[in-house]
Amino acid sequence: MTEPLPLVLIVEDDASMRRFLKSALTAHQYRVVDASTAAEALALAQSHNPEVVLLDLGLPDGDGIDVTRQLRG
């Protein structure tokens, strides 16, 4: 039995880029959750505990660097 691939959290406010990344990752059997805001990303990270985060640095409700600091905290 093989273990599931890592869970990836995509944080991107551009809907078309978010769909592209999600499609590409799921095509390679990665598990994916996605967010379009910093607040949504932090909530999903808390509830899903992803192994990988693909993070846009410019989000409509916050800075990606601040999100990184909060995720590490």
Side-chain angles (χ1 to χ4, degrees):
M1 181 197 267
T2 62
E3 290 190 32
L5 290 175
L7 175 64
V8 180
L9 170 58
I10 299 170
V11 187
E12 172 61 63
D13 60 327
D14 181 313
S16 62
M17 178 59 77
R18 196 171 56 250
R19 280 191 306 271
F20 169 76
L21 291 169
K22 188 172 186 174
S23 175
L25 289 167
T26 56
H28 287 88
Q29 275 63 70
Y30 284 91
R31 299 172 298 136
V32 176
V33 291
D34 61 288
S36 60
T37 66
E40 187 181 5
L42 292 170
L44 286 172
Q46 180 86 23
S47 63
H48 288 80
N49 196 26
E51 287 90 1
V52 178
V53 178
L54 295 177
L55 177 61
D56 183 359
L57 295 179
L59 297 168
D61 66 337
D63 184 289
I65 299 298
D66 292 333
V67 173
T68 301
R69 286 186 185 112
Q70 291 180 14
L71 289 173
R72 288 183 173 186

Coordinates of all heavy atoms in Angstrom, one line a residue:
M1 N 0.8 -1.2 0.0 CA 0.0 0.0 0.0 C 0.9 1.2 0.0 O 1.8 1.4 0.8 CB -0.9 0.0 1.2 CG -1.8 1.2 1.3 SD -2.5 1.5 2.9 CE -4.0 0.6 2.8
T2 N 0.6 2.2 -0.9 CA 1.4 3.4 -1.0 C 0.8 4.5 -0.1 O -0.4 4.6 0.0 CB 1.6 3.9 -2.4 OG1 0.3 4.2 -2.9 CG2 2.2 2.8 -3.3
E3 N 1.6 5.3 0.4 CA 1.1 6.5 1.2 C 0.7 7.6 0.3 O 1.2 7.7 -0.8 CB 2.3 7.0 2.1 CG 2.6 6.1 3.2 CD 3.5 6.7 4.2 OE1 3.4 7.9 4.4 OE2 4.3 6.0 4.8
P4 N -0.3 8.4 0.7 CA -0.8 9.5 -0.2 C 0.3 10.5 -0.3 O 1.1 10.7 0.6 CB -2.0 10.0 0.6 CG -1.9 9.5 2.0 CD -1.1 8.3 1.9
L5 N 0.3 11.2 -1.4 CA 1.2 12.3 -1.7 C 0.9 13.4 -0.7 O -0.2 13.5 -0.2 CB 1.1 12.7 -3.1 CG 1.7 11.7 -4.1 CD1 1.5 12.2 -5.5 CD2 3.2 11.5 -3.9
P6 N 1.8 14.4 -0.5 CA 1.6 15.5 0.4 C 0.4 16.3 0.1 O 0.0 16.4 -1.1 CB 2.9 16.3 0.2 CG 3.9 15.4 -0.3 CD 3.1 14.4 -1.1
L7 N -0.2 16.9 1.1 CA -1.3 17.8 1.0 C -0.7 19.2 0.7 O 0.2 19.7 1.4 CB -2.2 17.9 2.2 CG -3.3 18.9 2.2 CD1 -4.3 18.6 1.1 CD2 -3.9 19.0 3.6
V8 N -1.1 19.8 -0.4 CA -0.6 21.1 -0.8 C -1.7 22.2 -0.6 O -2.8 22.0 -1.0 CB -0.2 21.1 -2.3 CG1 0.3 22.5 -2.7 CG2 0.9 20.0 -2.5
L9 N -1.3 23.3 0.1 CA -2.2 24.4 0.2 C -1.8 25.5 -0.8 O -0.6 26.0 -0.8 CB -2.1 25.0 1.6 CG -2.8 26.4 1.9 CD1 -4.3 26.3 1.5 CD2 -2.6 26.8 3.3
I10 N -2.6 25.8 -1.7 CA -2.4 26.8 -2.7 C -3.1 28.1 -2.2 O -4.3 28.1 -2.0 CB -3.0 26.5 -4.1 CG1 -2.3 25.2 -4.6 CG2 -2.8 27.6 -5.1 CD1 -3.0 24.6 -5.9
V11 N -2.3 29.2 -2.1 CA -2.8 30.5 -1.7 C -2.6 31.5 -2.9 O -1.4 31.9 -3.1 CB -2.2 31.0 -0.4 CG1 -2.9 32.2 0.1 CG2 -2.2 29.9 0.6
E12 N -3.6 31.8 -3.6 CA -3.5 32.6 -4.8 C -4.8 33.3 -5.1 O -5.8 32.7 -5.1 CB -3.1 31.7 -6.0 CG -3.1 32.4 -7.4 CD -2.2 33.5 -7.5 OE1 -0.9 33.3 -7.4 OE2 -2.6 34.6 -7.7
D13 N -4.7 34.7 -5.2 CA -6.0 35.4 -5.4 C -6.4 35.4 -6.9 O -7.6 35.7 -7.1 CB -5.8 36.8 -4.9 CG -4.7 37.6 -5.5 OD1 -3.7 37.0 -5.9 OD2 -4.9 38.9 -5.6
D14 N -5.5 35.1 -7.8 CA -5.9 35.0 -9.2 C -6.6 33.7 -9.5 O -5.9 32.6 -9.4 CB -4.7 35.2 -10.0 CG -4.9 35.2 -11.5 OD1 -5.7 34.3 -12.0 OD2 -4.4 36.1 -12.2
A15 N -7.9 33.7 -9.7 CA -8.6 32.5 -9.9 C -8.1 31.5 -11.0 O -8.0 30.3 -10.8 CB -10.1 32.8 -10.1
S16 N -7.7 32.1 -12.1 CA -7.2 31.3 -13.2 C -5.9 30.6 -12.8 O -5.7 29.4 -13.2 CB -7.1 32.1 -14.5 OG -6.2 33.1 -14.4
M17 N -5.0 31.3 -12.2 CA -3.7 30.7 -11.7 C -4.0 29.6 -10.7 O -3.4 28.6 -10.7 CB -2.8 31.8 -11.2 CG -1.5 31.2 -10.7 SD -0.5 30.4 -11.9 CE 0.1 31.8 -12.8
R18 N -4.9 29.9 -9.8 CA -5.3 28.9 -8.7 C -5.8 27.6 -9.4 O -5.4 26.5 -9.0 CB -6.3 29.5 -7.8 CG -6.4 28.8 -6.5 CD -7.3 29.6 -5.4 NE -8.6 29.9 -5.9 CZ -9.0 31.1 -6.2 NH1 -8.2 32.2 -6.0 NH2 -10.2 31.3 -6.6
R19 N -6.7 27.8 -10.3 CA -7.2 26.6 -11.0 C -6.1 25.8 -11.8 O -6.1 24.6 -11.8 CB -8.3 27.0 -12.0 CG -9.7 27.3 -11.4 CD -10.8 27.4 -12.5 NE -10.5 28.4 -13.5 CZ -10.8 29.7 -13.4 NH1 -11.4 30.2 -12.3 NH2 -10.5 30.6 -14.3
F20 N -5.2 26.6 -12.4 CA -4.1 25.9 -13.2 C -3.3 25.1 -12.2 O -2.9 23.9 -12.5 CB -3.3 27.0 -13.9 CG -2.0 26.4 -14.4 CD1 -2.0 25.6 -15.5 CD2 -0.8 26.6 -13.7 CE1 -0.8 25.1 -16.0 CE2 0.4 26.1 -14.2 CZ 0.4 25.3 -15.4
L21 N -2.9 25.7 -11.1 CA -2.0 25.0 -10.1 C -2.7 23.8 -9.5 O -2.1 22.7 -9.4 CB -1.6 26.0 -9.0 CG -0.6 27.1 -9.4 CD1 -0.5 28.1 -8.3 CD2 0.7 26.5 -9.8
K22 N -4.0 24.0 -9.2 CA -4.7 22.9 -8.6 C -4.9 21.7 -9.6 O -4.7 20.6 -9.3 CB -6.1 23.4 -8.2 CG -6.9 22.3 -7.4 CD -8.2 22.9 -6.9 CE -8.9 21.9 -6.0 NZ -10.1 22.5 -5.3
S23 N -5.1 22.1 -10.9 CA -5.3 21.1 -11.9 C -4.0 20.3 -12.1 O -3.9 19.1 -12.2 CB -5.7 21.7 -13.2 OG -5.8 20.8 -14.3
A24 N -2.9 21.0 -12.2 CA -1.6 20.4 -12.4 C -1.2 19.5 -11.3 O -0.7 18.4 -11.5 CB -0.5 21.5 -12.6
L25 N -1.4 19.9 -10.1 CA -1.1 19.1 -8.9 C -1.9 17.9 -8.8 O -1.5 16.8 -8.5 CB -1.1 20.0 -7.6 CG 0.1 21.0 -7.5 CD1 -0.2 22.0 -6.4 CD2 1.4 20.3 -7.3
T26 N -3.2 18.1 -9.0 CA -4.1 16.9 -8.8 C -3.9 15.9 -9.9 O -4.1 14.7 -9.7 CB -5.6 17.3 -8.8 OG1 -5.9 18.1 -9.9 CG2 -5.9 18.1 -7.5
A27 N -3.5 16.4 -11.1 CA -3.1 15.5 -12.2 C -2.0 14.5 -11.8 O -1.8 13.4 -12.4 CB -2.8 16.2 -13.5
H28 N -1.2 15.0 -10.9 CA 0.0 14.2 -10.4 C -0.4 13.5 -9.0 O 0.5 13.2 -8.3 CB 1.2 15.0 -10.3 CG 1.8 15.3 -11.7 ND1 1.4 16.4 -12.4 CD2 2.7 14.6 -12.4 CE1 2.1 16.4 -13.5 NE2 2.8 15.3 -13.6
Q29 N -1.6 13.4 -8.7 CA -2.2 12.8 -7.5 C -1.9 13.5 -6.2 O -2.0 12.9 -5.2 CB -1.7 11.3 -7.5 CG -2.6 10.4 -8.2 CD -2.6 10.6 -9.7 OE1 -1.6 10.4 -10.4 NE2 -3.7 11.0 -10.3
Y30 N -1.4 14.7 -6.2 CA -1.3 15.5 -5.0 C -2.7 15.8 -4.5 O -3.6 16.1 -5.2 CB -0.5 16.8 -5.2 CG 1.0 16.5 -5.3 CD1 1.6 16.3 -6.6 CD2 1.8 16.5 -4.2 CE1 2.9 16.1 -6.7 CE2 3.2 16.2 -4.3 CZ 3.7 16.0 -5.6 OH 5.0 15.8 -5.7
R31 N -2.8 15.9 -3.2 CA -4.0 16.3 -2.5 C -3.9 17.8 -2.4 O -2.8 18.4 -2.1 CB -4.2 15.7 -1.2 CG -4.3 14.2 -1.3 CD -4.3 13.5 0.1 NE -3.0 13.7 0.8 CZ -2.9 14.0 2.1 NH1 -4.0 14.1 2.8 NH2 -1.8 14.3 2.6
V32 N -5.0 18.6 -2.7 CA -4.9 20.0 -2.8 C -6.1 20.7 -2.1 O -7.2 20.2 -2.2 CB -4.9 20.5 -4.2 CG1 -4.9 22.0 -4.3 CG2 -3.6 19.9 -5.0
V33 N -5.8 21.7 -1.3 CA -6.8 22.7 -0.8 C -6.3 24.0 -1.3 O -5.1 24.3 -1.4 CB -7.0 22.6 0.7 CG1 -7.6 21.3 1.2 CG2 -5.7 22.8 1.5
D34 N -7.3 24.9 -1.5 CA -6.9 26.2 -2.0 C -7.6 27.3 -1.4 O -8.7 27.2 -0.9 CB -7.1 26.3 -3.6 CG -8.5 26.1 -4.0 OD1 -9.0 25.0 -3.9 OD2 -9.1 27.1 -4.4
A35 N -6.9 28.5 -1.3 CA -7.5 29.7 -0.7 C -7.2 30.9 -1.6 O -6.2 30.9 -2.3 CB -6.8 29.9 0.7
S36 N -8.0 31.9 -1.5 CA -7.8 33.1 -2.3 C -7.4 34.3 -1.4 O -7.1 35.4 -1.9 CB -9.0 33.5 -3.1 OG -10.2 33.7 -2.3
T37 N -7.5 34.2 -0.1 CA -7.1 35.3 0.8 C -6.2 34.8 1.9 O -6.1 33.5 2.2 CB -8.4 35.9 1.5 OG1 -9.0 34.9 2.4 CG2 -9.4 36.4 0.5
A38 N -5.5 35.7 2.6 CA -4.7 35.3 3.7 C -5.5 34.7 4.9 O -5.1 33.7 5.4 CB -3.9 36.6 4.2
A39 N -6.6 35.3 5.2 CA -7.5 34.8 6.2 C -7.9 33.3 6.0 O -7.9 32.5 6.8 CB -8.7 35.7 6.5
E40 N -8.3 33.1 4.7 CA -8.8 31.7 4.4 C -7.6 30.8 4.4 O -7.8 29.6 4.9 CB -9.4 31.8 2.9 CG -10.0 30.5 2.5 CD -10.6 30.6 1.1 OE1 -10.4 31.6 0.4 OE2 -11.2 29.6 0.7
A41 N -6.4 31.2 4.0 CA -5.2 30.4 4.0 C -4.9 29.9 5.4 O -4.6 28.8 5.7 CB -4.1 31.1 3.4
L42 N -4.9 30.9 6.4 CA -4.6 30.6 7.7 C -5.6 29.6 8.4 O -5.2 28.7 9.1 CB -4.5 31.9 8.6 CG -3.3 32.8 8.2 CD1 -3.4 34.1 8.9 CD2 -2.0 32.1 8.5
A43 N -6.9 29.8 8.0 CA -7.9 28.9 8.5 C -7.7 27.5 8.0 O -7.8 26.5 8.7 CB -9.3 29.4 8.2
L44 N -7.4 27.4 6.7 CA -7.2 26.1 6.1 C -6.0 25.4 6.6 O -5.9 24.2 6.8 CB -7.2 26.2 4.5 CG -8.5 26.4 3.8 CD1 -8.3 26.7 2.4 CD2 -9.4 25.2 4.0
A45 N -4.9 26.2 6.8 CA -3.7 25.6 7.3 C -3.9 25.0 8.7 O -3.4 24.0 9.1 CB -2.6 26.7 7.4
Q46 N -4.7 25.7 9.5 CA -5.1 25.3 10.9 C -5.9 24.0 10.8 O -5.6 23.0 11.6 CB -5.9 26.4 11.6 CG -6.3 26.0 13.0 CD -5.2 26.3 14.0 OE1 -4.3 27.2 13.7 NE2 -5.2 25.7 15.1
S47 N -6.8 23.9 9.9 CA -7.7 22.7 9.9 C -7.2 21.6 9.1 O -7.6 20.4 9.4 CB -9.1 23.1 9.4 OG -9.0 23.6 8.0
H48 N -6.3 21.8 8.1 CA -5.8 20.7 7.3 C -4.4 20.3 7.5 O -3.9 19.3 7.0 CB -6.1 21.1 5.8 CG -7.5 21.0 5.4 ND1 -8.4 22.0 5.7 CD2 -8.2 20.1 4.8 CE1 -9.6 21.7 5.2 NE2 -9.5 20.5 4.6
N49 N -3.6 21.2 8.1 CA -2.1 20.9 8.3 C -1.4 20.4 7.1 O -0.9 19.3 7.0 CB -2.0 19.9 9.5 CG -0.6 19.9 10.0 OD1 0.1 20.8 9.9 ND2 -0.2 18.7 10.6
P50 N -1.3 21.3 6.0 CA -0.7 20.9 4.8 C 0.8 20.7 5.0 O 1.5 21.3 5.8 CB -0.9 22.1 3.9 CG -1.1 23.2 4.8 CD -1.7 22.7 6.0
E51 N 1.4 19.8 4.1 CA 2.9 19.6 4.1 C 3.6 20.7 3.3 O 4.7 21.0 3.5 CB 3.2 18.2 3.6 CG 2.9 17.1 4.5 CD 1.5 16.5 4.4 OE1 0.7 17.0 3.5 OE2 1.2 15.6 5.2
V52 N 2.9 21.2 2.3 CA 3.5 22.2 1.3 C 2.5 23.3 1.2 O 1.3 23.1 1.1 CB 3.7 21.5 0.0 CG1 4.3 22.5 -1.0 CG2 4.6 20.3 0.1
V53 N 3.1 24.6 1.1 CA 2.2 25.8 0.9 C 2.8 26.5 -0.3 O 4.0 26.9 -0.3 CB 2.2 26.7 2.1 CG1 1.4 27.9 1.8 CG2 1.6 25.9 3.3
L54 N 2.0 26.7 -1.3 CA 2.4 27.6 -2.5 C 1.7 28.9 -2.2 O 0.5 29.0 -2.3 CB 1.9 27.0 -3.8 CG 2.6 25.7 -4.2 CD1 2.0 25.2 -5.5 CD2 4.1 25.8 -4.3
L55 N 2.5 29.9 -1.9 CA 1.9 31.2 -1.4 C 2.2 32.4 -2.3 O 3.4 32.7 -2.5 CB 2.5 31.4 0.0 CG 2.1 32.6 0.8 CD1 0.6 32.7 1.0 CD2 2.8 32.7 2.1
D56 N 1.2 33.1 -2.7 CA 1.3 34.3 -3.4 C 1.7 35.4 -2.4 O 1.1 35.5 -1.3 CB -0.1 34.7 -4.1 CG -0.1 35.9 -4.9 OD1 1.0 36.6 -5.0 OD2 -1.1 36.2 -5.5
L57 N 2.6 36.2 -2.7 CA 3.1 37.2 -1.7 C 2.1 38.4 -1.7 O 2.1 39.1 -0.7 CB 4.5 37.7 -2.0 CG 5.6 36.6 -1.8 CD1 6.9 37.1 -2.2 CD2 5.5 36.0 -0.4
G58 N 1.4 38.7 -2.8 CA 0.5 39.8 -2.8 C -1.0 39.4 -2.7 O -1.5 39.0 -3.8
L59 N -1.6 39.4 -1.6 CA -2.9 39.0 -1.4 C -3.8 40.2 -1.1 O -3.3 41.2 -0.6 CB -3.0 37.9 -0.3 CG -2.3 36.6 -0.5 CD1 -2.2 35.8 0.7 CD2 -2.9 35.8 -1.6
P60 N -5.1 40.1 -1.4 CA -6.0 41.2 -1.2 C -6.2 41.7 0.3 O -6.4 42.8 0.5 CB -7.3 40.8 -1.8 CG -7.3 39.3 -1.9 CD -5.8 38.9 -2.0
D61 N -6.0 40.7 1.2 CA -6.2 41.1 2.6 C -5.0 41.0 3.5 O -5.1 41.0 4.7 CB -7.4 40.2 3.2 CG -7.0 38.8 3.2 OD1 -6.1 38.3 2.5 OD2 -7.6 38.0 4.0
G62 N -3.8 40.8 2.8 CA -2.6 40.8 3.6 C -1.4 40.4 2.8 O -1.5 40.2 1.6
D63 N -0.3 40.5 3.4 CA 1.0 40.2 2.8 C 1.4 38.8 3.0 O 1.3 38.2 4.1 CB 2.0 41.1 3.5 CG 3.4 41.0 2.8 OD1 4.1 40.0 3.0 OD2 3.8 42.0 2.1
G64 N 1.9 38.1 1.9 CA 2.3 36.7 2.0 C 3.4 36.5 3.0 O 3.4 35.4 3.6
I65 N 4.3 37.4 3.2 CA 5.3 37.3 4.2 C 4.7 37.2 5.6 O 5.2 36.4 6.4 CB 6.3 38.5 4.1 CG1 7.0 38.5 2.7 CG2 7.4 38.4 5.2 CD1 7.8 37.3 2.4
D66 N 3.7 38.0 5.9 CA 3.0 38.0 7.2 C 2.4 36.6 7.4 O 2.4 36.0 8.5 CB 2.0 39.1 7.3 CG 2.7 40.4 7.4 OD1 3.9 40.5 7.9 OD2 2.0 41.4 7.1
V67 N 1.8 36.1 6.3 CA 1.1 34.8 6.4 C 2.2 33.7 6.7 O 2.0 32.8 7.5 CB 0.4 34.4 5.0 CG1 -0.1 33.0 5.0 CG2 -0.7 35.4 4.8
T68 N 3.3 33.8 6.1 CA 4.4 32.8 6.3 C 4.8 32.9 7.8 O 5.0 31.9 8.5 CB 5.6 33.2 5.5 OG1 5.3 33.1 4.1 CG2 6.8 32.2 5.7
R69 N 5.0 34.1 8.3 CA 5.3 34.3 9.8 C 4.3 33.6 10.7 O 4.6 32.9 11.6 CB 5.5 35.7 10.1 CG 6.8 36.3 9.6 CD 7.0 37.8 10.1 NE 8.1 38.3 9.4 CZ 8.1 39.3 8.5 NH1 6.9 39.9 8.2 NH2 9.2 39.8 8.0
Q70 N 3.0 33.8 10.3 CA 1.9 33.2 11.2 C 1.9 31.7 11.0 O 1.6 31.0 12.0 CB 0.6 33.9 10.8 CG 0.5 35.3 11.2 CD -0.8 35.9 10.8 OE1 -1.8 35.3 10.5 NE2 -0.9 37.3 10.9
L71 N 2.2 31.2 9.8 CA 2.2 29.8 9.7 C 3.3 29.1 10.5 O 3.2 28.0 11.0 CB 2.3 29.4 8.2 CG 1.1 29.7 7.3 CD1 1.4 29.4 5.8 CD2 -0.1 28.8 7.7
R72 N 4.4 29.8 10.5 CA 5.6 29.2 11.2 C 5.4 29.4 12.8 O 6.1 28.6 13.5 CB 6.9 30.0 10.8 CG 7.3 29.6 9.4 CD 8.6 30.3 9.1 NE 9.1 29.8 7.9 CZ 10.3 30.2 7.4 NH1 11.1 31.0 8.0 NH2 10.7 29.7 6.2
G73 N 4.6 30.3 13.2 CA 4.4 30.6 14.6 C 3.6 29.6 15.4 O 3.3 28.5 15.2

